[in-house]
Amino acid sequence: MANMIFTNKNNISPFLAVWLAMNEYRNETRPSVISATTLIRPIRQVVLARKYKDLSKQADIADLVSSRMGTALHDSIEKTWNQEPAILKDLLGQFGIPPAMLDKIKINEPVENIQEDDIPIWVEQRHEKTVKSTSGNEYIISGQFDAIVSWRVFDNKSTSVWTHIYGSNDKKYTEQGSIYRWLIPHMIKDDLMQIEHIFTDWSGVKALQDKQYPQSRILSKTLPLLSYVDTEKMIQDRINKIDHYLTQDDSALPLCTDEELWREKDVYKYYKDPTKLARSTANFGTEAEAVSRQIKDGNVGMVVKHPGGVKACKYCSVQNVCEQYKQLKLTNQIKE
C-alpha cells in the first residue's frame, strides 16, 4: 500500500473521507511503471514525484473531491458495461440501433474472436509495454482506456464547460489517446479519438440565454491522434528526459512552462488618476493598447502590468518540494 499522508482541514466526515482517500491509497506502487496520464504531465512534476515519493504523497481530503468524482464516474460506466450483453443490446436498440447492427456488436470479446464485419466494444482494459531509456533503464508504460468502439478510442472527461469551449486540454487528450493506440494498435485502428465531456458546471439557464454555450450537459468532441511513429518518438523522448533528470540536482530540472502552469494572460491596467488605484480606468491585453489609451488622454495617468496568475500549481501533488512553486507563491502568482 502507498504511504499517503492525509489531512482533513475541513473536518469532512470519516465516512466520506475514506471514500475520497481510497483512490490515492491504492495507486500503482511498482517503481518502474509510468502511466499514460503521468507521462503527459510536466517533466518537472513527474521527476519530483518519483524522487520524493514519500514526501510528495501528502494531500488534504478536500482537494481530492474532483479527482474522486471523476473516478466514480468511470467506475460507474465500467460497471454498467459489465452487465449481460443481452441487457446492453436491448438498451442500445432503444436508442435507434437497428437489429441487424445489434447482432454484430461484440462486447469485451477477445480481439482474436472479432470478425471483419463485427462491431467490437471494449471497456476499461489496462495494457502495458516496456521502454528502455538511452541509459538502458527499463520503464513500463501503462494505460487503461475508457472504451474502444468500432476501433476508435473513447475517453470520458468530467470537466468544466470552458475546458470544452476553449479546448485547453485538447493537446493532452490527443497525447493520451495516442499513447493508448501505441500500446494496442491492433485494437485502436481509427486515426481519431472521441472525447465525451460531462460538464460539472453546466447551466441550463446559460444554455437558454446563449446559443454559443453548450446546449447539453454532455457533448462529444473528436480529435486527431498522433501517428504511431510520432507517438513512439514522444514517449521515448519523455522517458529519456525523466530518466536523465532523476539523477540530476533539482536545480537542473526544467521549469514548468506557462502552458503547463495554466497561466492566465497578463493584464495591463490603465489608471487615468494615479491617486485612485482602487479601480482601473480601463484594462488591456497588451502594453501597446494601454499606452495608446494613455496618449489619447494626454499622457496622463499610468499603466501597470498585472502578470497573469497560474492555476495548475494548486492541483500539483509535489508543490511542497518544488522550488518553482515556492517562488511563484512568494511573488503572489498562484491563483486560488
Side-chain angles (χ1 to χ4, degrees):
M1 293 292 186
N3 297 316
M4 174 64 80
I5 299 172
F6 297 105
T7 57
N8 189 4
K9 298 175 184 176
N10 296 294
N11 295 317
I12 294 172
S13 73
F15 180 73
L16 284 180
V18 170
W19 171 69
L20 290 169
M22 186 56 67
N23 253 26
E24 303 299 325
Y25 194 68
R26 68 186 184 188
N27 272 349
E28 174 65 65
T29 57
R30 290 177 292 169
S32 62
V33 173
I34 299 179
S35 70
T37 51
T38 296
L39 195 61
I40 62 177
R41 291 173 184 164
I43 296 295
R44 183 181 188 86
Q45 183 182 12
V46 176
V47 172
L48 287 175
R50 297 179 79 83
K51 288 179 73 172
Y52 302 100
K53 53 184 180 294
D54 294 327
L55 290 174
S56 65
K57 288 182 178 177
Q58 302 176 22
D60 187 73
I61 291 298
D63 295 333
L64 303 175
V65 173
S66 295
S67 172
R68 193 65 182 94
M69 288 180 68
T71 302
L73 172 69
H74 284 79
D75 289 348
S76 176
I77 294 173
E78 180 182 9
K79 183 178 179 181
T80 297
W81 282 90
N82 282 331
Q83 303 293 324
E84 289 293 325
I87 296 174
L88 296 172
K89 288 183 179 182
D90 178 64
L91 288 171
L92 289 168
Q94 295 183 43
F95 303 138
I97 298 179
M101 189 176 292
L102 287 173
D103 291 339
K104 297 178 181 179
I105 292 177
K106 300 293 186 291
I107 301 172
N108 290 326
E109 189 76 22
V111 66
E112 60 268 20
N113 295 344
I114 302 299
Q115 304 299 312
E116 186 176 351
D117 60 346
D118 285 341
I119 302 173
I121 298 176
W122 294 288
V123 181
E124 296 281 357
Q125 291 185 16
R126 182 166 294 281
H127 295 267
E128 298 179 345
K129 268 187 185 180
T130 300
V131 176
K132 275 190 178 183
S133 69
T134 51
S135 66
N137 292 321
E138 288 191 348
Y139 293 88
I140 298 170
I141 309 302
S142 175
Q144 180 170 311
F145 60 78
D146 291 342
I148 298 172
V149 180
S150 277
W151 315 106
R152 174 180 292 185
V153 64
F154 281 61
D155 208 349
N156 306 311
K157 303 290 186 183
S158 55
T159 188
S160 73
V161 165
W162 304 110
T163 297
H164 177 87
I165 292 174
Y166 292 119
S168 52
N169 284 329
D170 286 0
K171 180 176 180 290
K172 290 200 301 185
Y173 295 161
T174 293
E175 290 177 346
Q176 185 178 352
S178 299
I179 293 171
Y180 292 151
R181 180 165 68 168
W182 173 81
L183 285 168
I184 43 172
H186 60 294
M187 296 173 70
I188 302 175
K189 301 179 181 181
D190 200 320
D191 290 331
L192 299 174
M193 73 177 299
Q194 189 153 325
I195 303 295
E196 302 289 349
H197 277 148
I198 303 173
F199 301 125
T200 56
D201 57 352
W202 185 79
S203 168
V205 173
K206 288 183 179 179
L208 288 172
Q209 295 173 340
D210 182 3
K211 294 305 177 184
Q212 302 302 313
Y213 189 88
Q215 297 298 293
S216 169
R217 186 159 189 171
I218 297 178
L219 280 182
S220 298
K221 175 183 280 190
T222 55
L223 297 171
L225 296 178
L226 302 173
S227 70
Y228 185 93
V229 172
D230 287 342
T231 304
E232 192 161 55
K233 288 180 180 177
M234 174 190 72
I235 293 170
Q236 189 66 62
D237 177 66
R238 292 187 182 177
I239 287 297
N240 289 341
K241 286 179 179 176
I242 291 168
D243 186 66
H244 168 74
Y245 285 115
L246 280 170
T247 63
Q248 304 300 306
D249 187 80
D250 291 356
S251 61
L253 284 173
L255 297 175
C256 290
T257 65
D258 284 349
E259 181 182 11
E260 292 169 337
L261 291 169
W262 304 349
R263 184 183 288 279
E264 296 179 333
K265 292 182 178 179
D266 296 340
V267 176
Y268 293 85
K269 294 189 175 184
Y270 167 59
Y271 299 88
K272 187 172 183 178
D273 184 348
T275 66
K276 298 178 180 179
L277 300 180
R279 185 177 180 180
S280 60
T281 307
N283 297 337
F284 300 92
T286 66
E287 185 176 17
E289 290 174 314
V291 171
S292 176
R293 172 60 186 274
Q294 185 182 28
I295 294 172
K296 185 178 179 182
D297 284 350
N299 281 319
V300 299
M302 66 179 183
V303 173
V304 179
K305 177 183 177 181
H306 291 257
V310 303
K311 296 192 287 186
C313 287
K314 67 179 181 178
Y315 302 108
C316 181
S317 63
V318 297
Q319 59 179 239
N320 57 314
V321 294
C322 179
E323 291 301 321
Q324 184 180 15
Y325 168 79
K326 293 175 184 177
Q327 185 61 33
L328 290 169
K329 185 78 172 176
L330 188 65
T331 53
N332 297 316
Q333 295 185 60
I334 304 296
K335 184 168 182 179
E336 300 298 336

